[in-house]
Amino acid sequence: MNTSTSDAQQGMGGFLGWIERSGNKLPDPVFLFFWLILGLVAISVLAAMTGVSAAHPTKIDPATGTNQIISATSLLSAENIAKLWVDMPKTFTHFHPLGYVLVVMLGAGVAERVGLFGTAMRAGVRDVPNALLTPTVVLVGMIGNLAADAAYVVLIPLAGIIFHAAGRHPIAGIAAAFAGVSGGFSANLLPGQLDALLFGITEASVATVFDGFTANIAGNWFFIAGMTFVFLPVIWYVTDRMIEPRLGAFDPSFAAATGAEDESDRPLTDAERKGLKNAGWAVLFVVGLWTYFTIGPGTPLIDESASAEAQMAPFYKSLVAAFFVLFLLAGWAYGKGAGTINDHRDLVKMMTGAMEDLAYYLVLAFAAAHFVAMFSWSNLGLILAVHGADFLSSTNMPAWALLTSIILVSSLLNLFVGSASAKWALIAPVMVPMLMLLGISPEMATAAYRVGDGATNIITPLMVYFPLILIFCQRWQSNFGLGSLAATMLPYSIGLLISGLAMTIFWVVLDLPLGPGASVFYSM
């Protein structure tokens, strides 16, 4: 395979070139949090010295009967210094996203390693009619987000091979799959790992100001399902009507390698088909088990003694465990059928490997946990949220306009900081409480962030898989450079941003539910 990267190494000019150069100057997200913590310490000292404060919106001072005044606290105070060093293990291990992600990945890592995700994606796109090839690739790409890295490594190069076999331009297939997997990063028919990660950060951000909020991993379920059906025709149209005509007819003489013998294009074996059948039965079993726990005798996942609004709380909280069991049993069932698991020792090794893959995330979570915690200790999160809410309230902007601005900010920030969790950990501690004070729910704030985050994933060279996609393209056209890839993906980015904004406005204006028990608006 020819992996010439001369064009990529030369970079590009214009706006995208400026993004690439500016973003490359930023430190790794782990150290970005370290520098932000140092800046936060300095700001907290200055704010404490100048008496910066705000009235807490929900806490009443019993002596005066008025809202309690919260003042900025220096992070160099004796109390906060002691809290930093004494509570360091607690600060890290009690970081909400950590437990959610580790539990889900214990199961998802097994499903990925046994080959379930890759085989399912191959089965989904191999024998599709030519007329439905683009939408099928895009839909499998969006659903493939549940498989994390597997969607990038398996589906995107496979899409190029299948498009070529169908007499279409292979780079159009790669572009469509990339837009589905990465542009539609938050779109899906089911909640998954990303929901656990983002809602963990949302819960931690709410806790810096308010008590009593518990994250619901299904809090964006209806919204992300809606995104799937909105984004699908957009990516389909851009691929078939804009990108493929621009690419023209594929000339095999330009191909660095056709990839016709690529392992990812081989037919499914009988063992793999048996594994997929076993996995299907395992999925039905888990769905039936959770249904029984919800409506069966004793209703263990329904709190019948609670108020009507809180009765479903145990069910929502159990969804993290549900996805762990779902991925684990489906992976195990597939592995036994396909012959990729021999005994329970293989299963344990795969679960261990899934934790090894999270090594970088653990380091990042350690830094993010302390940034979020120290932001709370300084009281700056509450103060900024209160004063920011007061300012925005004075502008009389409707909710849809506020959320539109958040989407645009998220999409711009995404050009410089590629990690979805790092960006959300940076802005959520202020954004989520501020929007709550304006009557917008944490679930809606998270949904708006997701729209902006996904739209520009596919045009920033700082996206971790961008160089890999470039290499996939160069397998078919060796002179396809970084600028060529960015220009190819730009129409998708614009289309996804516009359609995502329109969908968000539509959702807010009609006040549609975002997921089970999750609404657009929030009452303090």
Side-chain angles (χ1 to χ4, degrees):
M1 178 172 62
N2 185 343
T3 58
S4 171
T5 57
S6 59
D7 295 301
Q9 291 168 347
Q10 292 172 3
M12 67 179 86
F15 179 64
L16 288 173
W18 176 77
I19 291 172
E20 182 182 12
R21 291 189 297 273
S22 301
N24 286 334
K25 294 178 182 178
L26 291 174
D28 183 275
V30 173
F31 268 82
L32 181 62
F33 278 112
F34 174 74
W35 291 114
L36 286 171
I37 287 173
L38 292 180
L40 178 63
V41 171
I43 293 172
S44 72
V45 172
L46 182 61
M49 291 174 60
T50 56
V52 174
S53 64
H56 197 291
T58 61
K59 293 184 178 180
I60 303 298
D61 187 340
T64 63
T66 59
N67 292 79
Q68 184 178 345
I69 301 299
I70 304 297
S71 300
T73 302
S74 170
L75 289 173
L76 293 182
S77 67
E79 179 185 0
N80 282 330
I81 290 175
K83 190 180 297 184
L84 172 65
W85 302 121
V86 174
D87 289 351
M88 185 171 283
K90 179 181 176 182
T91 300
F92 179 39
T93 57
H94 286 210
F95 188 47
H96 295 288
L98 189 62
Y100 295 165
V101 173
L102 292 178
V103 169
V104 173
M105 279 303 298
L106 274 173
V110 171
E112 182 175 357
R113 278 168 171 72
V114 297
L116 171 59
F117 289 144
T119 302
M121 284 186 282
R122 283 170 44 224
V125 298
R126 273 190 53 86
D127 301 319
V128 175
N130 196 11
L132 298 177
L133 186 54
T134 301
T136 302
V137 164
V138 175
L139 180 60
V140 172
M142 288 190 284
I143 296 175
N145 288 325
L146 294 172
D149 295 350
Y152 288 95
V153 176
V154 175
L155 178 65
I156 294 177
L158 176 61
I161 295 169
I162 292 176
F163 265 60
H164 179 253
R168 302 179 60 180
H169 203 296
I171 292 181
I174 292 173
F178 186 30
V181 172
S182 192
F185 188 57
S186 284
N188 216 307
L189 298 180
L190 291 172
Q193 303 168 44
L194 183 63
D195 296 81
L197 176 61
L198 294 183
F199 274 107
I201 295 172
T202 301
E203 182 175 336
S205 300
V206 175
T208 63
V209 178
F210 306 110
D211 298 324
F213 175 79
T214 300
N216 170 11
I217 192 176
N220 281 168
W221 190 345
F222 303 158
F223 188 84
I224 63 175
M227 288 172 66
T228 304
F229 293 106
V230 169
F231 287 175
L232 178 59
V234 171
I235 299 176
W236 187 0
Y237 177 86
V238 171
T239 301
D240 290 2
R241 299 298 180 87
M242 299 175 66
I243 299 304
E244 195 162 15
R246 176 178 174 272
L247 291 170
F250 176 63
D251 185 350
S253 65
F254 288 112
T258 63
E261 302 300 324
D262 195 293
E263 174 72 7
S264 61
D265 192 38
R266 63 177 174 80
L268 297 182
T269 65
D270 290 339
E272 287 172 334
R273 295 182 188 277
K274 180 180 179 182
L276 287 178
K277 182 178 179 180
N278 289 354
W281 285 114
V283 169
L284 291 176
F285 169 76
V286 175
V287 172
L289 182 65
W290 245 254
T291 302
Y292 176 80
F293 287 152
T294 304
I295 64 176
T299 60
L301 295 182
I302 300 293
D303 186 0
E304 297 181 349
S305 64
S307 62
E309 296 81 6
Q311 285 186 354
M312 292 294 293
F315 172 77
Y316 299 145
K317 292 178 182 179
S318 76
L319 289 176
V320 172
F323 281 105
F324 158 67
V325 175
L326 179 72
F327 288 133
L328 181 64
L329 293 187
W332 196 353
Y334 172 86
K336 295 297 288 186
T340 53
I341 285 182
N342 294 319
D343 54 31
H344 69 278
R345 291 179 177 83
D346 289 340
L347 184 70
V348 174
K349 288 179 182 178
M350 290 177 181
M351 296 175 76
T352 303
M355 294 299 98
E356 291 174 355
D357 289 346
L358 288 175
Y360 176 78
Y361 172 75
L362 294 176
V363 178
L364 178 63
F366 179 82
H370 282 83
F371 173 76
V372 172
M374 294 174 73
F375 208 72
S376 174
W377 301 342
S378 69
N379 291 328
L380 289 176
L382 170 65
I383 293 170
L384 288 173
V386 169
H387 290 300
D390 287 343
F391 169 75
L392 292 176
S393 179
S394 67
T395 65
N396 294 318
M397 292 174 63
W400 64 263
L402 288 172
L403 293 167
T404 295
S405 65
I406 289 169
I407 291 173
L408 295 176
V409 169
S410 300
S411 63
L412 181 62
L413 183 61
N414 193 39
L415 295 172
F416 301 95
V417 182
S419 169
S421 58
K423 287 191 300 292
W424 191 225
L426 285 173
I427 62 179
V430 173
M431 181 185 296
V432 174
M434 181 177 68
L435 291 177
M436 289 175 70
L437 291 171
L438 294 172
I440 297 174
S441 70
E443 292 87 356
M444 188 66 244
T446 308
Y449 167 75
R450 298 173 77 159
V451 172
D453 173 65
T456 49
N457 265 340
I458 50 180
I459 61 171
T460 171
L462 300 178
M463 191 266 182
V464 65
Y465 285 105
F466 205 80
L468 180 64
I469 307 305
L470 179 64
I471 290 174
F472 290 154
C473 292
Q474 289 175 344
R475 296 175 61 183
W476 301 97
Q477 187 171 322
S478 59
N479 63 348
F480 199 86
L482 192 63
S484 303
L485 180 57
T488 299
M489 302 311 300
L490 185 58
Y492 292 106
S493 183
I494 295 172
L496 293 174
L497 183 59
I498 292 174
S499 59
L501 282 168
M503 175 182 161
T504 303
I505 293 171
F506 174 84
W507 217 277
V508 173
V509 170
L510 295 184
D511 191 15
L512 300 176
L514 295 162
S519 60
V520 171
F521 299 103
Y522 179 85
S523 178
M524 294 295 297

